[in-house]
Amino acid sequence: MKKITPATLEAIASAPVNAPKNWIKVGLDTGGIAAGARYVFDALAGHIAYARHPISLLRTGSNGLSFADPVVEIECAGMPHVLYGNIHVADTKTLLDEHIIKHRILEDHVVATRDRGTKCEGDTTVILVQDTSAEQGDRTRFFQDSFIEEVRRQGLQGKVQVVRAMDMGIYKKGLVVQLLPSAVTYENVLAANISEIIMDTVKKGIVLEKLLHREPDPQVRIVMRNCGRLDPESLDDALRHGAYQGLKSALLVHGWEKTIGVMKASALRGRGGAGFPTWLKWKLTRDNVADQKYVICNGDEGDPGAFMDRSVLEGDPHTVLEGLMIAGLCTGATKGFFYIRAEYPLAVARIQLAIDQAKEAGLLGKNILGSDFEFDAEIRLGAGAFVCGEETALIASIEGKRGSPSPRPPFPSVSGLWGKPTSINNVETLAAIPAILCRGGEWYAQYGIGESRGTKVFAVTGKVNLAQLVEVPMGVTLHKIVYDICGGVSNGESIQAVQTGGPSGGVIPESLLDTPISYENLMKLGSIMGSGGMLVMDSNNSMVDVARFYLRFCVDESCGKCAPCRIGGYQMLQILERIFKGHGKADDIPKLKRICHAMQNASLCGLGQTAPNPVLSTLRYFEAEYMAFIEGGVTYARKIRKQLEGVGQKAS
């Protein structure tokens, strides 16, 4: 491999965009592979080789659409760009025969583009239809037949295909129609509008303003800008998508001091949970004089149900490495560590490959891009201890010691890894940095509200129709995420609460879901941003059971070093177990609150300080349920447990 120079990066940046080529991409991330994507990839490879299809088969990471795994995306001459979901091995030959040879779209698999158009230029070849308000019965097939009949009446059969979509990205808007390749999208379409759409829009290119869906996509992809787009195992592909352009700007245009200024203007705060300003963390490390400094990428994602960091590490490893290098430049560090939990083998493998490729290309080592900057990176594996997400415990683990927190001060920026100044940033923070360096701090700060700027990635799971990764600007409401992006609550149930921040977070009731998301607002509600886990709960969930689940997790994961966490957590869990079994007492509620406040004020680290959050937030908003368990006794408790068992069996 040739060494990468500033001239190389300049040539790539100024190169014209290549015309679309024939390719098929398969999402080979952990979630996709678990759903069968590896078998899909191999089956497609076999069919392509056998039939000698003139098309390239490529791998990507996750595009975030977990509900649609395995995901296959196709760019093919003579056909609109299409993303298919839930493609399995049995579908692969049909997919190739229909899409590549016959130029026809598969029914019930298309995930419509969120990049919707407002002009109808060129010939419409595909009409996607889906009834998004199907409580009284799904009318998608009825409308499809009506469109097909109108297409025939207008003499367009053989020229326009009408296809049932799997997902349109729009919900509770009646019949939604998207025309391809223009992506003009109509909502609340009635039978009376069908002939008008065919005659005016399809035949004449006239957009019907009265039906046009005007709401922009609420998602803004900065951290996940390349996930699902590039081959995570190819440095060349990463370079074509802008990798190391931010490093070039930091090294050769700004220098470390102005780079910190750009980060200050961006107002980027740590996305690992605490929300400490990134620029300030770097400056504090820079200001401490030492013969050696370190930077660490915290990839120890331990929240149940969270998979944001894993997806970014697997889908865009060179960007995270680039962010770590920029952090090293600004802090004066020459060595970086990726601390990744061993349960993420694919993320570990792809980060290691990115490190090896960068070394071979001269992007790691000495005189990087012809400058005097030197930097090297390596991986350390975590053993799955939740407490090692805390900075001092993480440092101890890298040093080969037992992963338990240490008192602060001194903070890691003063005395961190092996007693040297150390800056620790999480995966999402690092992934945003190269884009900020390329486009400017003010550009990034235009998103968000108040002191919470930029975007945030959330892993939305639980009782939600379309579990997925979402990236939204700060200030978007929880209601918009659940209903406008993730399609609402599953099985037609009503939402009861949303849990943010994982085991250290709190529950937010349905009545407060219109609160704009920010670090400050979530804290006021009794929760935290955390790393980005978001669990949706419906009316069948018991809030006492939820608090019990998260507290049991924290008790299991506590290092046991300090008494408030070790003893307080155990005491609270015993009380919650007693209440949930119907043996609670009236004085259990004030006792829980006293222990919670003692843990918050006296625990050594963030695990113990925030472990009471699920208990306090459920007491704050759902104390009536606690009292129902206490006053109803064993009879009420048995009723609730039976209800929960029934819901679990139904879900399985």
Side-chain angles (χ1 to χ4, degrees):
M1 181 180 292
K2 293 183 179 179
K3 300 296 182 182
I4 302 297
T5 66
T8 307
L9 294 176
E10 189 66 35
I12 293 172
S14 59
V17 178
N18 292 328
K21 297 180 179 179
N22 288 349
W23 49 254
I24 300 176
K25 294 178 180 179
V26 180
L28 290 177
D29 62 299
T30 294
I33 291 170
R38 181 78 69 188
Y39 301 112
V40 170
F41 186 90
D42 292 343
L44 286 171
H47 294 316
I48 289 171
Y50 180 79
R52 297 183 180 179
H53 290 296
I55 195 164
S56 300
L57 181 62
L58 310 172
R59 73 172 70 82
T60 67
S62 171
N63 60 9
L65 301 176
S66 306
F67 67 90
D69 284 332
V71 170
V72 174
E73 191 173 359
I74 301 184
E75 180 80 42
C76 171
M79 290 287 284
H81 181 103
V82 174
L83 189 148
Y84 289 109
N86 290 343
I87 294 293
H88 296 282
V89 171
D91 305 311
T92 53
K93 188 175 188 304
T94 303
L95 175 66
L96 291 173
D97 290 345
E98 291 291 311
H99 195 107
I100 306 299
I101 298 176
K102 299 179 182 178
H103 284 189
R104 293 185 61 80
I105 306 293
L106 263 64
E107 300 276 9
D108 303 316
H109 285 283
V110 177
V111 179
T113 178
R114 273 58 169 168
D115 187 15
R116 304 177 184 101
T118 57
K119 296 181 180 180
C120 193
E121 299 174 345
D123 294 336
T124 295
T125 58
V126 177
I127 301 174
L128 299 178
V129 298
Q130 185 186 28
D131 180 10
T132 66
S133 301
E135 291 86 353
Q136 304 302 320
D138 191 340
R139 301 172 298 164
T140 302
R141 288 180 180 271
F142 165 77
F143 281 109
Q144 181 189 30
D145 291 340
S146 299
F147 265 102
I148 290 173
E149 177 60 22
E150 188 62 29
V151 165
R152 186 193 63 77
R153 288 182 62 250
Q154 296 293 331
L156 296 173
Q157 66 270 31
K159 298 180 181 178
V160 178
Q161 184 188 4
V162 184
V163 180
R164 298 185 303 274
M166 172 187 167
D167 176 71
M168 299 291 276
I170 301 170
Y171 312 101
K172 305 299 181 184
K173 294 290 186 181
L175 178 69
V176 176
V177 174
Q178 186 173 92
L179 311 179
L180 298 178
S182 67
V184 166
T185 306
Y186 294 141
E187 63 182 40
N188 291 314
V189 175
L190 303 176
N193 302 128
I194 293 176
S195 62
E196 191 177 11
I197 291 172
I198 300 300
M199 291 182 64
D200 289 349
T201 307
V202 175
K203 296 187 76 172
K204 301 176 183 178
I206 301 171
V207 175
L208 305 177
E209 299 291 337
K210 63 183 180 181
L211 299 176
L212 190 64
H213 179 79
R214 300 180 181 279
E215 295 180 24
D217 185 358
Q219 296 201 60
V220 175
R221 298 213 161 185
I222 297 175
V223 171
M224 296 182 63
R225 61 194 178 277
N226 293 326
C227 293
R229 297 181 60 212
L230 56 74
D231 181 346
E233 298 183 13
S234 168
L235 174 58
D236 288 339
D237 207 15
L239 291 170
R240 284 191 290 270
H241 284 83
Y244 300 104
Q245 298 289 346
L247 176 65
K248 179 171 73 74
S249 295
L251 268 176
L252 307 179
V253 178
H254 300 299
W256 72 263
E257 195 166 10
K258 287 186 178 179
T259 297
I260 289 180
V262 172
M263 296 306 300
K264 184 176 182 179
S266 75
L268 174 65
R269 296 167 64 177
R271 295 301 193 245
F276 194 79
T278 301
W279 74 271
L280 183 55
K281 179 179 284 190
W282 289 359
K283 187 175 187 303
L284 291 172
T285 307
R286 183 84 193 194
D287 289 345
N288 285 284
V289 179
D291 60 343
Q292 177 67 59
K293 297 179 183 179
Y294 299 102
V295 287
I296 299 173
C297 170
N298 184 352
D300 191 55
E301 184 175 52
D303 292 6
F307 52 99
M308 305 78 59
D309 292 351
R310 185 195 75 201
S311 296
V312 175
L313 289 169
E314 291 176 356
D316 195 8
H318 279 284
T319 287
V320 186
L321 175 59
E322 181 183 4
L324 189 68
M325 295 173 70
I326 295 170
L329 170 70
C330 292
T331 58
T334 58
K335 185 65 179 288
F337 289 91
F338 285 91
Y339 187 81
I340 307 173
R341 58 196 304 108
E343 294 93 334
Y344 287 175
L346 185 59
V348 170
R350 286 181 176 168
I351 287 293
Q352 185 61 60
L353 180 60
I355 291 172
D356 294 342
Q357 291 172 339
K359 285 181 179 179
E360 187 178 353
L363 292 167
L364 284 176
K366 295 183 178 181
N367 304 120
I368 296 171
L369 294 180
S371 71
D372 59 358
F373 176 54
E374 64 176 273
F375 190 83
D376 198 5
E378 61 182 270
I379 296 173
R380 288 288 187 272
L381 299 183
F386 181 67
V387 73
C388 285
E390 194 275 339
E391 289 186 341
T392 60
L394 183 154
I395 287 171
S397 181
I398 291 179
E399 292 175 342
K401 302 173 184 175
R402 184 173 185 265
S404 60
S406 301
R408 296 182 295 179
F411 291 92
S413 57
V414 177
S415 178
L417 190 61
W418 292 298
K420 304 297 184 180
T422 303
S423 180
I424 303 173
N425 298 110
N426 97 313
V427 171
E428 187 178 338
T429 307
L430 294 173
I433 290 165
I436 294 172
L437 265 293
C438 288
R439 304 191 66 174
E442 292 78 8
W443 162 79
Y444 186 79
Q446 71 178 310
Y447 301 106
I449 57 171
E451 298 299 314
S452 301
R453 314 307 303 182
T455 63
K456 181 72 187 79
V457 181
F458 293 98
V460 187
T461 58
K463 303 290 186 64
V464 67
N465 276 319
L466 305 172
Q468 59 185 293
L469 288 179
V470 304
E471 183 175 358
V472 293
M474 296 282 195
V476 168
T477 66
L478 290 166
H479 187 279
K480 180 171 281 291
I481 290 176
V482 173
Y483 287 95
D484 293 351
I485 300 177
C486 297
V489 183
S490 56
N491 300 320
E493 299 286 348
S494 58
I495 193 169
Q496 181 170 197
V498 172
Q499 160 87 3
T500 68
S504 303
V507 300
I508 300 170
E510 188 273 339
S511 60
L512 296 175
L513 294 188
D514 283 324
T515 304
I517 294 174
S518 70
Y519 288 97
E520 294 74 23
N521 286 343
L522 290 181
M523 288 186 69
K524 288 177 184 176
L525 297 179
S527 188
I528 61 172
M529 186 77 68
S531 59
M534 187 177 291
L535 180 69
V536 178
M537 294 169 283
D538 67 17
S539 55
N540 291 307
N541 288 107
S542 163
M543 293 298 105
V544 176
D545 190 35
V546 168
R548 189 177 65 128
F549 167 79
Y550 281 117
L551 188 60
R552 185 188 300 119
F553 179 88
C554 289
V555 168
D556 288 344
E557 293 294 335
S558 171
C559 73
K561 187 173 184 177
C562 69
C565 178
R566 181 181 70 249
I567 300 173
Y570 178 79
Q571 287 178 332
M572 281 203 299
L573 183 58
Q574 299 311 302
I575 295 172
L576 287 177
E577 294 283 8
R578 187 167 67 241
I579 292 174
F580 190 69
K581 292 176 181 177
H583 301 296
K585 303 174 183 178
D587 65 347
D588 282 339
I589 302 300
K591 190 181 295 184
L592 280 172
K593 293 179 180 179
R594 286 198 303 273
I595 299 173
C596 283
H597 294 141
M599 288 180 64
Q600 287 180 323
N601 293 321
S603 293
L604 177 62
C605 80
L607 188 152
Q609 293 163 8
T610 58
N613 283 346
V615 179
L616 284 173
S617 61
T618 51
L619 282 170
R620 177 178 177 180
Y621 299 116
F622 300 98
E623 187 168 339
E625 184 182 330
Y626 281 82
M627 294 309 299
F629 271 98
I630 292 171
E631 294 170 358
V634 175
T635 301
Y636 181 82
R638 285 175 178 169
K639 174 185 174 183
I640 296 300
R641 290 202 300 273
K642 187 175 180 180
Q643 174 184 320
L644 291 174
E645 290 171 1
V647 171
Q649 291 171 359
K650 181 179 178 182
S652 63

